[in-house]
Amino acid sequence: MDMKERMKKLAEAKQKIELGGGKDKIEKIHSEGKFTARERISTLLDKSTFQELGQFVKHRAVEFGMTSKEVVADGVVTGHGLVEGRPVYVSSQDFSALAGTVGEAHARKICVAMDAALKNGAPFVCINDSGGARVQEGVDALSGYGEIFYRNVKSSGVVPQISIIAGPCAGGAVYSPALTDFIIQIKNQGQLYITGPKVIKQVTGEEVTMEDLGGTEPHATKSGVIHFEAEDEEDALNITRRLLSFFPSNNAELPPLIEADHKDVVENIPALNAVVPEASNAPFDMYDVISIGDKCF
């Protein structure tokens, strides 16, 4: 096989991988108003800056018929690119490939990206859309989750970590986001729950919907697990880009600075001088602080 044929074969292999779980599944994703794993990355990052890692990684599982199952890119797209010209590492789970479930190789790909983010002092963004641990891989899948959690803790306070909840995430898929700095959940699309409604009914007899159990409403108003509620996928990715604009890339850098004419954007509010008492032990109403501060802009 000459070089021309090799290059053609490589291009065909890449094209197949970029189709994820196939055209039918991509069409189904689009019909639901959702982005594919790769479309999410291309929307998040600056144009043409994404460099993929582990594109040809495959699982090595043999039990439960896994030898005959081809899981493209093992269900997750990982790599790095730029956001407003600054390096960012990213992983995006592909629900079209075995429901984005986490197996040994899937977890290793995420860990490689997280290690690189920590080593190079760059933020890490994880776009979650996963059915949880891949049951066909058993303990290897659970061990993979443990490796991810370890890196979440190791990176905490060193590089910014942001999680986007873009689909129904259950079991192990919810623990990692909870260890990151910010969680952005998409309304009527992303869910976070330890176990699903069917298990709840079987164990407790209670009937509950996916949204009532793990949607944005309970997490934004009751549990306090999430920080931002996004209207749709594009909104979630825009929130992520805006968040990153405030952060330093790591704990050894200063946050980005921009020049601004405060006279044009901040109004002089005399009430601000008295809203917080001089005495440190004197109580005050935080609603007053928020309402007065809101008038400044």
Side-chain angles (χ1 to χ4, degrees):
M1 186 184 295
D2 61 21
M3 184 57 69
K4 187 175 181 180
E5 290 175 333
R6 288 176 184 272
M7 293 300 292
K8 182 181 178 182
K9 189 175 180 181
L10 177 64
E12 289 173 350
K14 284 187 173 182
Q15 189 175 24
K16 183 179 179 181
I17 289 171
E18 288 171 0
L19 282 175
K23 290 183 179 179
D24 291 343
K25 290 187 177 179
I26 289 176
E27 287 175 2
K28 185 176 185 298
I29 288 171
H30 286 162
S31 69
E32 295 171 352
K34 298 170 67 176
F35 292 170
T36 65
R38 294 181 181 277
E39 287 168 346
R40 288 165 177 163
I41 289 177
S42 63
T43 303
L44 172 66
L45 300 178
D46 296 346
K47 188 176 180 180
S48 302
T49 63
F50 179 59
Q51 298 293 318
E52 189 166 353
L53 299 171
Q55 189 174 26
F56 296 99
V57 166
K58 295 182 178 180
H59 69 79
R60 61 173 185 168
V62 296
E63 303 293 341
F64 304 102
M66 285 296 288
T67 50
S68 61
K69 287 186 179 179
E70 184 179 6
V71 186
V72 175
D74 210 54
V76 64
V77 183
T78 59
H80 58 90
L82 303 177
V83 173
E84 300 296 334
R86 299 165 64 204
V88 173
Y89 285 79
V90 62
S91 70
S92 181
Q93 292 176 316
D94 186 355
F95 202 82
S96 75
L98 210 63
T101 50
V102 175
E104 178 193 27
H106 181 120
R108 189 184 302 121
K109 286 182 66 174
I110 295 175
C111 289
V112 166
M114 295 179 77
D115 287 341
L118 190 59
K119 180 180 179 180
N120 295 304
F124 179 72
V125 177
C126 184
I127 304 173
N128 298 269
D129 192 356
S130 172
R134 190 176 298 167
V135 294
Q136 295 93 328
E137 296 193 34
V139 173
D140 285 336
L142 298 178
S143 174
Y145 265 124
E147 293 292 337
I148 294 172
F149 304 157
Y150 167 72
R151 284 163 175 80
N152 285 136
V153 175
K154 192 176 179 182
S155 300
S156 181
V158 182
V159 296
Q161 299 178 85
I162 299 175
S163 296
I164 299 174
I165 309 303
C169 297
V174 308
Y175 304 139
S176 175
L179 292 170
T180 58
D181 299 310
F182 289 94
I183 302 177
I184 303 163
Q185 187 174 355
I186 302 172
K187 289 173 65 175
N188 304 315
Q189 180 177 315
Q191 289 100 31
L192 283 167
Y193 37 71
I194 302 299
T195 191
K198 290 182 180 179
V199 177
I200 296 292
K201 183 178 180 181
Q202 201 165 27
V203 175
T204 69
E206 182 183 0
E207 291 190 11
V208 62
T209 67
M210 291 172 68
E211 276 297 309
D212 289 338
L213 182 63
T216 55
E217 197 279 332
H219 287 315
T221 64
K222 297 177 182 177
S223 72
V225 169
I226 68 171
H227 304 89
F228 295 93
E229 187 179 29
E231 294 297 325
D232 52 33
E233 299 219 17
E234 191 169 359
D235 186 35
L237 296 165
N238 286 335
I239 291 171
T240 305
R241 288 179 63 93
R242 181 157 172 76
L243 268 177
L244 290 170
S245 73
F246 291 105
F247 298 155
S249 291
N250 55 68
N251 63 349
E253 293 185 5
L254 294 173
L257 298 176
I258 59 171
E259 291 186 9
D261 187 352
H262 297 289
K263 293 179 181 178
D264 292 338
V265 296
V266 180
E267 183 182 344
N268 184 23
I269 308 292
L272 280 174
N273 296 327
V275 67
V276 177
E278 290 185 17
S280 61
N281 61 347
F284 60 95
D285 192 337
M286 284 304 301
Y287 284 103
D288 291 340
V289 178
I290 293 170
S291 61
I292 294 173
D294 190 48
K295 296 175 184 178
C296 295
F297 298 95

